[in-house]
Amino acid sequence: MNTTAGEHDRSPSAAYAQAAEAAGRAPSIHNTQPWHWQVHADRLDLFADTSRALPGIDPDERMLLVSCGAALHHAQVALMAQGHTVEVRPLPDPAQPDHLATLVITGDAPVTAEAVHMMQALRLRHTDRRPTVDTPVTAEQVDELRRLAGEFDVHLHRLTPDQVSELAVAVSHAEEAAAAEPAWQAETARWVGPGRPPGTGVPPEVLPDKRPETDVGERDFGARGALTVGGGHDKSSTYVVLFGDGDDRAAWLRAGQTLSAVWLHATGQGLAVLPYSQVIEIDGTRAMMRRILSNLGYAYIVLRLGVADPDHPLPGHTPRLPFDATATVDPD
């Protein structure tokens, strides 16, 4: 497919607004959606919204930056699907550390089949906490995801069976540390419980109705959900780690862009994705992940890839904030 996006008769401001709205579908830690867009006639600015940060769980804002990076990439996908070429300027103003990026339309281009498929995946993407079935992820699928990650100067490593066992230990340690910290528990309860802020958080519909029987434990949200997990297991799942050389804000923002690109492509491949960020949130388990990587880089996030049980309904999408809660449109 190689078509043009209409006659490009929409204003750049309208294109930026549509991209910001699409970016609202991005994954974020505890579905906090910690971003705010400023839509201008000549650019789209991304800011961190620290009012939706998690100071207990994520004091260094690593996962906030990953979340915002995923939203940034979602906006890029939306603009390319509208037939635009885009320049991304990360962290454009050192005096404003919460100004994370500026996107600028640099021209028009044919809408490629890849851009259309990525936009379709953006609408379908969701977190799937159910166990996977016995259908394995192919080496070719992982290689394609590795190639995509490399476009952002981020590495994707497929964990060996021994490393998956080490990951299971790290996840267990992370869960124990979280359970022993009342502030962490209270912060999680705020975003998972019935009093979670409207349009955000993790509702019962996407949480398992019982603890899944998996080799690598899932995050304990402290609440039983309504999602039927079935009788599957994760023995045929593939676990990958996104990692890189940097540990600064630019690196974590780029990690979020990579997460979005990999997740959208995996969705297009028919794979279910479950992120494991808890091992990154805690200093001790983050160090364990670095050792698993033989100190070759900093682990940004772990992903479980697999095929979901087709005999059970898919989990729904988590709620989203309305556009005017996450974006400001310049009247000019």
Side-chain angles (χ1 to χ4, degrees):
M1 178 177 179
N2 203 23
T3 61
T4 57
E7 298 297 327
H8 303 298
D9 53 354
R10 302 181 67 222
S11 69
S13 179
Y16 290 135
Q18 183 174 325
E21 186 169 18
R25 295 177 180 265
S28 59
I29 182 171
H30 286 13
N31 191 28
T32 50
Q33 302 162 62
W35 48 71
H36 193 87
W37 297 94
Q38 289 187 2
V39 180
H40 304 276
D42 61 346
R43 68 189 188 281
L44 178 62
D45 288 319
L46 171 63
F47 290 83
D49 185 340
T50 55
S51 72
R52 292 195 291 276
L54 301 175
I57 294 171
D58 186 35
D60 296 318
E61 298 185 347
R62 288 184 174 92
M63 289 300 106
L64 178 147
L65 289 165
V66 169
S67 301
C68 289
L72 174 60
H73 181 261
H74 270 46
Q76 293 174 254
V77 168
L79 287 170
M80 289 187 291
Q82 293 180 64
H84 300 296
T85 56
V86 185
E87 178 186 356
V88 179
R89 302 169 185 168
L91 303 172
D93 186 355
Q96 295 188 73
D98 287 340
H99 186 184
L100 301 181
T102 294
L103 292 92
V104 178
I105 293 172
T106 56
D108 297 329
V111 178
T112 65
E114 181 181 3
V116 172
H117 293 157
M118 291 289 273
M119 193 65 195
Q120 291 171 338
L122 184 153
R123 297 188 179 102
L124 295 173
R125 186 213 62 80
H126 60 274
T127 300
D128 198 335
R129 297 179 176 85
R130 301 173 299 161
T132 58
V133 297
D134 292 337
T135 304
V137 178
T138 68
E140 291 77 15
Q141 288 174 316
V142 175
D143 286 344
E144 180 61 16
L145 298 179
R146 184 179 293 114
R147 181 194 66 77
L148 276 174
E151 293 180 0
F152 296 88
D153 293 325
V154 171
H155 308 289
L156 184 149
H157 170 65
R158 182 176 191 167
L159 295 179
T160 66
D162 286 345
Q163 290 172 332
V164 171
S165 297
E166 293 180 75
L167 170 65
V169 172
V171 169
S172 178
H173 285 335
E175 291 296 320
E176 290 173 1
E181 181 51 65
W184 285 47
Q185 295 299 304
E187 199 165 67
T188 296
R190 179 183 178 228
W191 295 94
V192 176
R196 62 187 180 276
T200 67
V202 186
E205 292 77 15
V206 300
L207 292 176
D209 60 357
K210 62 181 180 180
R211 192 74 172 169
E213 296 180 3
T214 58
D215 288 344
V216 181
E218 299 182 12
R219 186 192 289 273
D220 185 359
F221 285 96
R224 179 172 293 183
L227 178 65
T228 301
V229 300
H233 203 282
D234 66 346
K235 291 188 179 298
S236 295
S237 295
T238 290
Y239 290 84
V240 301
V241 184
L242 298 180
F243 73 99
D245 301 329
D247 189 28
D248 56 12
R249 290 176 71 82
W252 289 94
L253 185 69
R254 191 164 56 250
Q257 292 175 271
T258 311
L259 170 65
S260 170
V262 167
W263 200 329
L264 294 182
H265 195 82
T267 297
Q269 292 178 327
L271 299 177
V273 179
L274 176 63
Y276 284 78
S277 65
Q278 61 268 59
V279 291
I280 309 301
E281 296 157 16
I282 295 170
D283 291 343
T285 52
R286 192 165 60 254
M288 292 175 69
M289 293 305 304
R290 185 165 168 81
R291 288 194 293 273
I292 288 174
L293 294 170
S294 301
N295 295 314
L296 294 175
Y298 298 93
Y300 298 138
I301 199 161
V302 178
L303 300 175
R304 186 188 75 188
L305 308 174
V307 178
D309 187 345
D311 294 330
H312 290 88
L314 293 173
H317 292 279
T318 50
R320 288 297 186 265
L321 290 162
F323 176 74
D324 59 4
T326 59
T328 302
V329 179
D330 189 335
D332 296 330

